[in-house]
Each structure stands twice: as structure tokens, then as C-alpha cells.
């Protein structure tokens, strides 16, 4: 079904603006807001849910961000790059 996405104005998850389910979190919005009513240059997004791997093995999570990202998998933080 996807991941639950909550969009916030502000960089500290300050003011919730929108919630929706997303099947793909590969986002690039530049100057266009990802949802109406959000500042594309001063926002936070929290995705939560479950990802099921198609088969047992090693997987790599990666991201290109211009400010920061934190990722937890199974309660373990696997990416912490917050600038």
C-alpha cells in the first residue's frame, strides 16, 4: 500500500500540513511544493510504515538531500546525516 507521509512546514516537524499514503518516496521538487500549502524550502517529511524485501539478502538505503536525513530500520538508525 505504501508508506504514510506526513508533510510539515518548518524543519522541526512543527506544523502538520498534509498526510497521505505514498507508494514511491523518490522525490525531487526544487521550487515546487510537494503538497499544497507547504514551503518547499523550509519543510519536513516523515514517512512511516513497513517495507518488505522481495527476498532475503543485503539491501542499501541511500538518499540525496540538501539539508538532512535520518533513517531507522527495525528501530535501528542506519542513516544520520543532519546538517
Amino acid at each position: 500500500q505504501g508508506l504514510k507521509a506526513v508533510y510539515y512546514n518548518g524543519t522541526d516537524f512543527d506544523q502538520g500540513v498534509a498526510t497521505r499514503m505514498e507508494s514511491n518516496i523518490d522525490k525531487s521538487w526544487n521550487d515546487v511544493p510537494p503538497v499544497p500549502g507547504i514551503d518547499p524550502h523550509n519543510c519536513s517529511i516523515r514517512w512511516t510504515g513497513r517495507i518488505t524485501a522481495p527476498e532475503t539478502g543485503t539491501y542499501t538505503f541511500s538518499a540525496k538531500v540538501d539539508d538532512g536525513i535520518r533513517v531507522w530500520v527495525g528501530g535501528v538508525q542506519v542513516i544520520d546525516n543532519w546538517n
Side-chain angles (χ1 to χ4, degrees):
Q1 297 294 325
L3 299 176
K4 177 182 174 184
V6 182
Y7 290 82
Y8 301 84
N9 270 323
T11 57
D12 293 319
F13 305 96
D14 299 326
Q15 175 191 1
V17 174
T19 301
R20 65 184 184 191
M21 294 301 290
E22 296 185 339
S23 61
N24 183 332
I25 62 171
D26 184 9
K27 307 292 181 191
S28 177
W29 56 76
N30 297 320
D31 293 327
V32 178
V35 296
I38 199 167
D39 179 350
H41 302 289
N42 188 26
C43 64
S44 306
I45 307 166
R46 178 175 286 138
W47 287 285
T48 57
R50 293 185 179 269
I51 298 173
T52 303
E55 60 186 52
T56 301
T58 301
Y59 290 84
T60 301
F61 290 87
S62 64
K64 290 182 184 179
V65 297
D66 65 356
D67 292 317
I69 185 170
R70 292 184 177 127
V71 177
W72 285 264
V73 177
V76 176
Q77 190 171 31
V78 296
I79 298 175
D80 184 10
N81 184 4
W82 203 260
N83 299 311

